[in-house]
Amino acid sequence: MKRTVPILIVIPILTSAFYTRHSPDPRTNTHETITEVGTLQALSSYIWKNKLKQIGSEISAVEVFYEKDATSKIEMGKSINAIIQAIADTQVEKKDTAYVHCHADQILLAHQHVISCKDKLSQLKNDVVELRKQLGECLYTVQSFYSNTNWVEMYSGVPYTDFGIKGKRLMAVALPEEDTCKDVENIETPACAQRLFCVAHDNLLQI
C-alpha cells in the first residue's frame, strides 16, 4: 500500500474569515476546502516530481499514481479528512488562545507557534494519528493568518513566505495607538492601494 503524508500547504484566499466546513455562500472557501485543495495540489506536485519523474501532467499526477491502487487512494482520502477534522478541533479546542487564531495583535506568537508545530512534526513520523492532529493545528494557524490579518488587503494573493519559517524575521506589526485606517471615497484609487485598511481585522501589519 502506498502511503503519502502531506506536510504543509499555504493557499491564501481573499476573505474576511473562514468557516470550518460549511459556508452559507457556496462561493466562499472554508478551512475544509482550502485544506483539501491545497493538500491535493501539493501531493500532485510531489508525486509528479518524485514518483513519475515529471512524466505526464502534474495536475493529474494523483489520479495516475493511484490509478491501479484504489485502496491506497481511499486511505489517502481518509488521511486528508483526518487533517480537516484536526483543523476543526483546533478551532474549537483552542478558541480562547488568541495567537492560534492570529488575534489580538499576536502575529509574532502565531509565527512562533507554527514553527513549534512544524518542529514537532518531524518527531511524530511513527505516530501518524498525532502527526495529523499536529499538522491540522499548524495549518489552522497558517490559514487564520490570511483571514484574520490585513495581509491579503496589502498583498492580494502573494503568500507571506517568511511566516512560520524558523530564522525569518517578520515585518513590524502596527501598535494599538497607530492610525492604520483612513476614510476614503473610492477604495480603488492608487492612493488607497498603498495604505493599510483594518476593515474587519484586528491585526495590522506595518510597511
Side-chain angles (χ1 to χ4, degrees):
M1 181 184 294
K2 301 169 182 174
R3 172 178 286 182
T4 305
V5 180
I7 295 301
L8 182 61
I9 319 299
V10 182
I11 298 184
I13 304 294
L14 180 59
T15 180
S16 59
F18 299 140
Y19 288 89
T20 305
R21 289 182 180 272
H22 304 293
S23 167
D25 185 347
R27 298 169 299 176
T28 301
N29 281 285
T30 64
H31 283 290
E32 178 178 18
T33 58
I34 293 168
T35 303
E36 182 175 13
V37 171
T39 301
L40 288 173
Q41 286 181 352
L43 284 174
S44 188
S45 178
Y46 174 83
I47 290 171
W48 183 70
K49 292 175 182 177
N50 298 281
K51 301 297 183 180
L52 303 181
K53 306 304 179 183
Q54 301 187 14
I55 297 175
S57 170
E58 181 175 348
I59 296 175
S60 61
V62 169
E63 294 300 323
V64 172
F65 186 67
Y66 288 108
E67 186 176 14
K68 297 180 180 180
D69 192 352
T71 300
S72 292
K73 187 176 181 180
I74 291 172
E75 290 302 314
M76 178 196 69
K78 290 180 180 178
S79 295
I80 294 174
N81 287 334
I83 295 169
I84 291 170
Q85 184 59 53
I87 289 174
D89 292 342
T90 297
Q91 191 169 28
V92 174
E93 295 170 3
K94 300 294 181 72
K95 62 183 178 63
D96 296 324
T97 307
Y99 64 80
V100 171
H101 312 275
C102 284
H103 285 166
D105 299 320
Q106 295 192 11
I107 296 174
L108 179 58
L109 286 177
H111 166 70
Q112 295 169 343
H113 173 63
V114 172
I115 292 173
S116 175
C117 283
K118 290 168 65 178
D119 286 342
K120 293 176 184 176
L121 291 177
S122 62
Q123 303 169 18
L124 295 171
K125 291 182 289 186
N126 297 322
D127 187 346
V128 176
V129 173
E130 187 61 30
L131 187 149
R132 290 168 181 162
K133 180 179 179 181
Q134 191 67 50
L135 177 57
E137 184 171 328
C138 187
L139 285 173
Y140 176 79
T141 299
V142 172
Q143 293 171 8
S144 294
F145 169 81
Y146 293 100
S147 66
N148 293 332
T149 72
N150 65 333
W151 175 269
V152 175
E153 283 83 357
M154 291 170 61
Y155 299 105
S156 189
V158 178
Y160 192 5
T161 55
D162 289 347
F163 184 75
I165 303 300
K166 187 179 295 185
K168 294 293 185 178
R169 183 175 181 178
L170 299 186
M171 61 198 306
V173 178
L175 298 174
E177 63 271 17
E178 288 186 79
D179 184 8
T180 54
C181 300
K182 181 177 180 180
D183 292 333
V184 292
E185 294 182 2
N186 182 5
I187 63 172
E188 300 298 329
T189 59
C192 297
Q194 299 176 14
R195 297 185 180 277
L196 300 180
F197 295 94
C198 53
V199 193
H201 306 298
D202 61 355
N203 294 316
L204 298 166
L205 295 165
Q206 181 181 42
I207 296 177

